[in-house]
Amino acid sequence: MSVQRKRYSAEEKTKEATEARKGQNTLNELAAEYGGQPSQITQWKKQAMEEISTGFSGGRVRRERTDEALVASLYQEIGQLKMEMDWLKKSQLGGWKRRGR
């Protein structure tokens, strides 16, 4: 029997992170109240604090992170295509040599 993961909306995550930030309840109390895990609430709190710090930058920082991820994935794809091309060249040259004999 498989257990289905609970999905939290952005509003729920924000509410729990805000409560954790206030510090009026412990993480275990918040986890029991909202039905989550203390480590997950800690992660959401950290993520919320990072987003708050970039919130007034006009999205520039978020765009830069997205651009970096895009560049990295494109370089990875270029590397993969280069490897495939090299492999095809080697396999075709091998076939030509055999035919010539």
Side-chain angles (χ1 to χ4, degrees):
M1 184 168 108
S2 65
V3 177
Q4 198 168 22
R5 291 174 40 173
K6 182 174 180 183
R7 300 198 185 269
Y8 295 92
S9 68
E11 291 81 23
E12 290 174 310
K13 291 177 184 181
T14 303
K15 185 176 181 179
E16 291 183 40
T18 304
E19 290 292 323
R21 178 75 175 117
K22 288 179 185 176
Q24 295 174 347
N25 297 333
T26 66
L27 291 174
N28 288 330
E29 290 172 344
L30 290 172
E33 181 179 342
Y34 293 110
Q37 294 291 323
S39 60
Q40 186 66 60
I41 295 172
T42 302
Q43 185 178 9
W44 291 338
K45 178 182 169 185
K46 181 181 175 187
Q47 185 179 11
M49 295 309 296
E50 288 172 358
E51 291 298 321
I52 286 173
S53 66
T54 61
F56 296 108
S57 66
R60 185 182 71 236
V61 174
R62 279 180 260 137
R63 278 195 301 270
E64 288 174 2
R65 275 191 259 150
T66 305
D67 291 346
E68 288 174 5
L70 177 62
V71 168
S73 67
L74 290 174
Y75 274 122
Q76 181 180 2
E77 188 173 351
I78 289 169
Q80 182 180 355
L81 292 172
K82 184 172 177 0
M83 286 177 50
E84 289 175 6
M85 189 172 73
D86 290 345
W87 181 82
L88 286 171
K89 283 180 181 178
K90 287 179 184 178
S91 65
Q92 285 179 351
L93 288 177
W96 288 62
K97 287 180 182 177
R98 281 186 232 126
R99 288 185 205 148
R101 288 186 175 181

